[in-house]
């Protein structure tokens, strides 16, 4: 599509990028937290809120038929996008956190017992630690942790020692939200499968920067959020292999997830609706479908060339800034996401100064305290780029950073 032929053309589809913040042209580099939305997503949300609005699955009237078709159509789009083998393997949730909580809760009810273990890595987001800790507390199972090396990469040499028959599930991130490292999930899946252990992949960051094929990956579960991939907030997906979804008990109870209800006995419907109790965010999910349409129209070669140039440029510039420590791999095998500290300048002060220059960054503990502990810092600064960020913006980022450092040190 001609409109998607250059990064600047892509930018024109995102009204939020065309604004001034603190009197400066916005350079939005907090995409790891949430992305901006293209017009197609905004317009569909508006159109639905302005008229195409009727609760799904429940009524015969025209508006309900339209929203049901948009909602179920989005399920087909997600299915094709991640190459699931059937549409029933796609469960709509409120986001990655909700997806992981669903699995942790349902899986632990049936499959975790005292003496069992759950394996996560040291590089996980809190959303892929806390639900498992809660599940372990309830069941008497324990959490095992695959450590990181000094580059933020998994210590695969320790995997064989950590994986044994007491591990009932492995739950790890495709891409770290702090280190930007693309993890070797294929290796972990293969190793876990050799012991018949199912694997959940937290794809919150991974789905944004690579094309995911769940059949090829062969993972049992893959979780992601809509709002980081140009879709609306409050939307997310849990992919699950159908035979696992059939086996897991339901998570939330309520409308739409039942087959029949009586005071004596209630029976549940089949996946995916078994896991979609209550009125879902049907407008959001329909718009997630529009976000997927947008992603599919992007020239992948152009996007990956742009990402590579940005990674190369930022890594080169970072290596020349005195006192700067970059956390995570110093190589191309990462997404354009950079977490760092600068000696003598507090990350929050740097972030505030750069905000005044129009550059939006994330600062603090980044929802991953164990990673902070691993690298011995309480706070970091993070710049994360999306498909619409240009090399020129990377240059403004570096220039502003140098200015801010000078002001603080
Ligand atoms: N996992 C990772 C790797 C993330 O980056 C995030 C969001 N920062 C989450 C989980 C949680 O996603 P959400 O807040 O959308 O549920």
């Amino acid at each position: 599509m001609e409109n998607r032929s250059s990064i600047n053309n892509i930018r024109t589809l995102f009204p939020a990028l065309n604004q001034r913040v603190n009197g400066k042209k916005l350079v939005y580099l907090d995409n790891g937290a949430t992305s901006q939305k293209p017009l197609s997503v905004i317009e569909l949300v508006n159109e639905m809120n302005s008229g195409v609005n009727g609760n799904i699955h429940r009524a015969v009237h025209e508006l309900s038929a339209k929203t049901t078709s948009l909602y179920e159509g989005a399920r087909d789009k997600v299915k094709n996008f991640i190459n699931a083998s059937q549409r029933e393997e796609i469960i709509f949730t409120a986001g990655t956190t909700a997806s992981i909580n669903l699995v942790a809760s349902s899986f632990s009810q049936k499959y975790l017992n005292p003496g069992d273990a759950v394996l996560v890595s040291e590089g996980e987001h809190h959303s892929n630690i806390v639900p498992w800790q809660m599940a372990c507390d309830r069941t008497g199972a324990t959490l095992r942790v695959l450590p990181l090396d000094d580059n933020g990469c998994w210590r695969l040499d320790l995997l064989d020692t950590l994986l044994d028959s007491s591990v009932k599930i492995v739950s790890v991130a495709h891409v770290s939200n702090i280190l930007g490292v693309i993890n070797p999930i294929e290796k972990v899946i293969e190793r876990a499968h050799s012991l018949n252990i199912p694997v959940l992949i937290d794809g919150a960051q991974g789905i944004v920067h690579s094309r995911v094929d769940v059949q090829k990956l062969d993972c049992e579960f893959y979780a992601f959020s809509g709002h980081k991939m140009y879709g609306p907030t409050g939307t997310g997906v849990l992919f699950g292999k159908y035979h696992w979804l059939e086996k897991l008990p339901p998570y939330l109870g309520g409308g739409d997830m039942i087959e029949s209800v009586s005071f004596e006995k209630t029976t549940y419907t089949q996946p995916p609706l078994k896991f979609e109790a209550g009125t879902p965010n049907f407008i959001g999910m329909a718009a997630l479908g529009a976000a997927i349409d947008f992603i599919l129209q992007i020239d992948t070669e152009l996007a990956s060339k742009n990402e590579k140039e940005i990674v190369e440029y930022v890594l080169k510039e970072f290596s020349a800034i005195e006192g700067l420590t970059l956390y995570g791999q110093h190589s191309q095998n990462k997404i354009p996401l950079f977490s760092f500290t600068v000696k003598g300048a507090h990350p929050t002060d740097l972030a505030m100064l750069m905000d005044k220059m129009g550059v939006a960054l994330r600062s603090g503990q980044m929802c991953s305290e164990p990673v902070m502990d691993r690298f011995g810092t309480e706070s970091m600064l993070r710049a994360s780029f999306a498909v619409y960020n240009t090399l020129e913006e990377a240059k403004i980022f570096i220039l502003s950073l140098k200015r801010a450092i000078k002001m603080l040190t």
Side-chain angles (χ1 to χ4, degrees), residues 32-33 95-98 100 125 127 173 175-177 202 204-205 225 227-228:
T96 309
T97 305
I100 298 174
H125 188 280
S127 295
V175 176
S176 154
N177 60 303
D202 169 355
Q205 302 292 340
S225 301
H227 69 100
K228 293 180 200 287

Side-chain angles (χ1 to χ4, degrees), residues 77-288:
K77 288 178 186 182
V78 173
K79 177 225 165 229
N80 293 333
F81 184 57
I82 62 172
N83 194 30
S85 61
Q86 55 185 105
R87 67 191 308 283
E88 292 78 10
E89 294 182 323
I90 307 301
I91 297 164
F92 285 139
T93 68
T96 309
T97 305
S99 298
I100 298 174
N101 272 278
L102 188 165
V103 180
S105 173
S106 293
F107 185 91
S108 62
Q109 267 186 59
K110 199 160 168 184
Y111 296 104
L112 282 189
N113 292 299
D116 290 341
V118 174
L119 183 71
V120 297
S121 91
E122 198 178 11
E124 301 305 316
H125 188 280
H126 293 161
S127 295
N128 197 27
I129 300 173
V130 185
W132 295 113
Q133 279 175 325
M134 290 162 69
C136 288
D137 284 349
R138 277 194 307 268
T139 58
T142 52
L143 198 65
R144 270 188 210 171
V145 183
L146 176 65
L148 296 176
D149 68 16
D150 290 343
N151 289 321
C153 298
W154 289 341
R155 289 280 311 271
L156 285 179
D157 56 310
L158 298 177
L159 192 58
D160 281 346
T161 336
L162 288 164
L163 270 185
D164 58 35
S165 60
S166 63
V167 176
K168 297 299 175 228
I169 189 163
V170 173
S171 190
V172 287
H174 190 168
V175 176
S176 154
N177 60 303
I178 296 193
L179 307 159
V181 174
I182 302 167
N183 291 315
I185 50 173
E186 296 83 357
K187 284 200 180 118
V188 169
I189 293 168
E190 193 191 322
R191 190 70 202 104
H193 282 182
S194 72
L195 297 171
N196 284 325
I197 303 168
V199 180
L200 182 150
I201 301 295
D202 169 355
Q205 302 292 340
I207 193 97
V208 188
H209 296 276
S210 60
R211 286 285 153 83
V212 169
D213 181 331
V214 289
Q215 289 192 69
K216 208 159 148 200
L217 279 177
D218 201 25
C219 55
E220 277 61 37
F221 305 99
Y222 193 98
F224 57 96
S225 301
H227 69 100
K228 293 180 200 287
M229 51 181 287
Y230 317 111
T233 41
T235 62
V237 171
L238 173 68
F239 156 81
K241 282 185 183 168
Y242 193 76
H243 67 96
W244 271 103
L245 297 180
E246 265 187 319
K247 283 191 287 196
L248 291 186
Y251 177 44
L252 300 176
D256 243 18
M257 53 76 77
I258 50 89
E259 190 180 58
S260 84
V261 177
S262 75
F263 287 114
E264 288 70 41
K265 185 172 171 58
T266 288
T267 53
Y268 310 119
T269 191
Q270 297 302 309
L273 295 190
K274 177 175 144 190
F275 297 101
E276 294 181 6
T279 300
N281 181 2
F282 59 85
I283 295 184
M285 297 310 175
L288 177 60

